Amino acid sequence: MPYRVSTAYAGPARMRRLAGLRAARCRSAQSPILSKGRSFMTDKIRDAFTENVADPARKAGEALRDAGGKMAESSSAIGIKMLDQAEANAREAFAAMRAAAGAKDLSEVMKIQGDFLREQSQRSVSQAREMGEVILQFGRDAVGAVRGEK
């Protein structure tokens, strides 16, 4: 009698093949009514997923993309504003240095320097206020874009 392999251990490949055959038999034995009901349920599940997960995720992605665009525009505006302020400060500093270089005596130099420092502090306060307003508007625009506000 030839040596026969026990079915107790058939090996992973044979087990997969047997499982596939059993699944195929089960699918072919299903009635059309059951498969129609399953199709209906599958469609309901797909629609619920689309409505509750996919659409909100797509909308959130669009909102984030819009927010990114607004953030890029706002950061560019902030950078330009800072450069304008630095340019104005440098212009005023050079004007004060020219005036000090043309001064006749030390008291005139001290007056020019005092005036420059006073004006510079006023300029710094107004520039900080302007930058605060720009950054605040930047934050409002970014949050509004994420929330979907146009």
Side-chain angles (χ1 to χ4, degrees):
M1 182 156 163
Y3 180 75
R4 189 173 164 145
V5 176
S6 168
T7 57
Y9 178 75
R14 183 159 187 243
M15 294 302 286
R16 282 193 301 269
R17 189 175 70 245
L18 287 173
L21 290 173
R22 286 185 188 127
R25 269 189 253 138
C26 289
R27 281 193 296 266
S28 67
Q30 291 176 353
S31 72
I33 295 170
L34 285 177
S35 84
K36 184 176 183 182
R38 285 194 180 109
S39 173
F40 176 73
M41 288 303 290
T42 304
D43 291 344
K44 283 185 84 168
I45 291 169
R46 185 180 306 116
D47 292 344
F49 177 79
T50 300
E51 182 179 323
N52 296 322
V53 177
D55 287 344
R58 182 182 46 77
K59 288 176 184 175
E62 290 171 359
L64 286 174
R65 185 175 45 244
D66 292 345
K70 286 190 178 189
M71 288 171 62
E73 292 172 12
S74 297
S75 63
S76 175
I78 289 171
I80 289 171
K81 187 72 150 172
M82 290 174 72
L83 287 173
D84 289 343
Q85 290 177 352
E87 183 181 3
N89 290 340
R91 199 176 323 110
E92 293 298 323
F94 280 113
M97 284 190 274
R98 281 191 190 97
K104 306 273 189 271
D105 58 2
L106 185 60
S107 64
E108 191 176 346
V109 171
M110 296 300 284
K111 181 185 179 310
I112 291 169
Q113 188 175 18
D115 291 342
F116 169 75
L117 290 174
R118 186 173 30 264
E119 290 171 4
Q120 180 61 32
S121 67
Q122 291 171 352
R123 239 188 336 275
S124 294
V125 168
S126 70
Q127 289 172 351
R129 187 177 301 120
E130 286 176 24
M131 287 306 297
E133 291 171 0
V134 169
I135 291 171
L136 185 63
Q137 187 61 44
F138 166 69
R140 286 181 186 146
D141 291 345
V143 170
V146 170
R147 289 183 180 168
E149 301 167 2
K150 298 291 177 180

